[in-house]
Amino acid sequence: MAPTTVLLSDFSDVTDFVVNQGNGVKGLSEMGLKALPKQYIQPLEERFSEKKIVPHESIPIIDMSKWDDPEVAKSICDAAEMWGFFQVVNHRVPLQVLDRVKAATHRFFGLSAAEKNKYSKELSPSNNVRFGTSFNTQAEKALEWKDYLSLFYVSDDEASALWPPACKDEVLEYTKSSEVLIKQLLKVLMKGLKVEGTDEAKEALLMGSVRTNLNYYPICPNPELTVGVGRHSDVSTLTILLQDDIGGLYVRGNDGESWIHVPPISGSLVINIGDALQIMSNGKYRSVEHCVIANGSSNRISVPIFINPRPQDTIGPFPEVLASGEKPVYKQVLYKDYVKHFFRKAHDGKKTVDFAKLSIF
Ligand SMILES: COc1cc(/C=C/C(=O)SCCNC(=O)CCNC(=O)[C@H](O)C(C)(C)COP(=O)(O)OP(=O)(O)OC[C@H]2O[C@@H](n3cnc4c(N)ncnc43)[C@H](O)[C@@H]2OP(=O)(O)O)ccc1O
Ligand SMILES: O=C(O)CCC(=O)C(=O)O
Ligand SMILES: [Fe+2]
């Protein structure tokens, strides 16, 4: 038997190679595996079924060139209510900035395992910079076919000192260039809730903390047996996602069963509502379940920016939303507790939000 086969037949060796030594699934993929290691085989009910794809359905594509136009505002609020997901084009984030951050993502994941592993949970100089694989390798019964670098923004100085040199400038540029778009989207969405005026306190509550992730999904030997990212909704207020031209992101249809593909559109950004905004809007804006399939022939990258409340903020339905007598569906929760609850378990679809539900629901 070839040495590689011996190595990968043993549970602890795969985990050690991928998780502890920092090779990630990229390292596994590059060994030219013929079969998926058993650690990655998802139970039948978590595998993606092509039969559930609705082929001609699409999330809205919104042209933001005239972004003060009330029709554009209406499309954004309608999409947030009906789909929880939409794509934007002519969004004013320069296309070169998007190209540069995609190149930087490839540059970071192209580094040696030893170099990337300097940012692992165990070795990283800060909790705000984390290279890892899958989602929560301790809690998951089956691992996910994805490596990531997660960068929590604190200050330019910290980013400059602690983020990986291979990508720090480009990630900062992308994150900062998206700020105008994010503010515009939040202004429109707040107006749709009749939450008027974006004072400093409200702005901090909606977008007080920012985390940018670089995701890498390498070629997988048996993509039908595993997932890139399992079913989940984001815990953010809003997520701005840049994807490359490979495809594979699916959004749950309104029937709760079907899946709708989010086709790559050159120069576009995918926007989705996260749990924090679902809670603050008392369920009017929907944070929708999504997943990423594994791919048998191409490597894929994506770069989500998660716009969040600050960890120390308490979130709950806005008083303006309840002013007409609407009953609150969610209680007040400390955002840090909510996020910890999300990260402590494996992906489990829309269950995270139950943490914030009032017990009568
Ligand atoms: C990775 O694959 C993913 C990620 C996602 C992400 C979706 C999002 O919506 S991310 C947005 C999250 N919101 C924020 O980052 C905003 C506020 N941040 C916080 O509140 C804190 O940073 C914290 C996340 C609560 C962490 O608090 P702290 O106690 O100071 O720090 P830790 O001890 O490092 O973390 C606690 C616990 O959480 C896990 N964790 C933290 N950050 C990450 C991360 N970036 N990626 C993975 N796991 C993380 C960490 O493992 C800790 O667990 P323990 O085992 O140590 O208890 C969507 C889909 C994906 O596939
Ligand atoms: O890679 C993608 O397209 C989506 C990733 C995702 O859902 C996430 O990182 O939360
Ligand atoms: Fe997500």
Side-chain angles (χ1 to χ4, degrees), residues 20-293:
N20 305 334
Q21 295 173 34
N23 291 288
V25 273
K26 184 168 183 287
L28 263 190
S29 171
E30 288 171 356
M31 289 172 88
L33 293 180
K34 294 282 176 287
L36 189 72
K38 62 178 186 296
Q39 293 79 359
Y40 290 89
I41 300 181
Q42 293 286 333
L44 265 177
E45 64 278 11
E46 292 303 335
R47 293 185 207 162
F48 189 79
S49 163
E50 290 200 356
K51 286 189 206 130
K52 291 189 177 168
I53 302 173
V54 190
H56 303 297
E57 195 80 88
S58 169
I59 60 167
I61 298 164
I62 301 176
D63 183 343
M64 294 203 57
S65 22
K66 294 186 199 148
W67 76 12
D68 283 324
D69 184 339
E71 282 303 311
V72 173
K74 185 176 179 330
S75 311
I76 291 169
C77 295
D78 286 352
E81 280 186 46
M82 289 191 297
W83 295 91
F85 259 87
F86 51 100
Q87 302 212 54
V88 289
V89 293
N90 298 317
H91 42 61
R92 306 181 194 192
V93 184
L95 300 185
Q96 304 91 297
V97 171
L98 304 186
D99 288 341
R100 281 198 284 268
V101 78
K102 282 192 271 186
T105 301
H106 282 287
R107 194 158 53 241
F108 174 78
F109 286 102
L111 295 173
S112 68
E115 202 53 44
K116 286 182 285 193
N117 213 28
K118 287 184 184 163
Y119 304 97
S120 66
K121 186 176 176 180
E122 290 69 28
L123 301 177
S124 178
S126 157
N127 253 350
N128 300 326
V129 182
R130 185 170 305 173
F131 166 68
T133 189
S134 192
F135 177 65
N136 178 339
T137 55
Q138 314 258 300
E140 287 160 336
K141 291 204 181 84
L143 300 178
E144 298 181 349
W145 196 260
K146 181 198 80 171
D147 299 330
Y148 68 88
L149 174 72
S150 188
L151 301 168
F152 186 69
Y153 178 83
V154 174
S155 67
D156 284 8
D157 284 349
E158 191 193 91
S160 181
L162 301 179
W163 290 11
C167 59
K168 67 180 177 190
D169 292 342
E170 295 80 2
V171 175
L172 256 185
E173 181 186 42
Y174 165 55
T175 308
K176 290 191 168 194
S177 308
S178 304
E179 208 177 299
V180 185
L181 169 66
I182 290 156
K183 285 189 173 160
Q184 179 66 13
L185 290 170
L186 287 172
K187 186 173 109 185
V188 163
L189 289 165
M190 287 307 106
K191 224 173 157 193
L193 294 176
K194 303 201 168 49
V195 175
E196 301 291 348
T198 34
D199 55 24
E200 252 177 56
K202 203 154 275 150
E203 194 168 291
L205 184 63
L206 292 166
M207 51 180 296
S209 80
V210 178
R211 181 186 291 283
T212 305
N213 280 10
L214 313 187
N215 293 325
Y216 192 92
Y217 306 90
I219 294 171
C220 178
N222 296 107
E224 66 291 349
L225 300 181
T226 191
V227 293
V229 178
R231 301 176 299 117
H232 70 285
S233 57
D234 294 344
V235 291
S236 52
T237 305
L238 270 189
T239 304
I240 316 301
L241 178 105
L242 171 66
Q243 62 169 334
D244 65 11
D245 56 0
I246 302 301
L249 169 63
Y250 286 84
V251 173
R252 193 62 105 178
N254 285 333
D255 58 4
E257 278 291 313
S258 58
W259 290 107
I260 297 160
H261 189 228
V262 180
I265 298 173
S266 176
S268 77
L269 290 165
V270 180
I271 312 291
N272 63 285
I273 305 298
D275 295 348
L277 190 49
Q278 173 166 320
I279 293 166
M280 291 189 272
S281 68
N282 204 35
K284 183 174 161 93
Y285 296 146
R286 295 173 54 221
S287 129
V288 170
E289 197 178 16
H290 52 285
C291 67
V292 178
I293 61 168

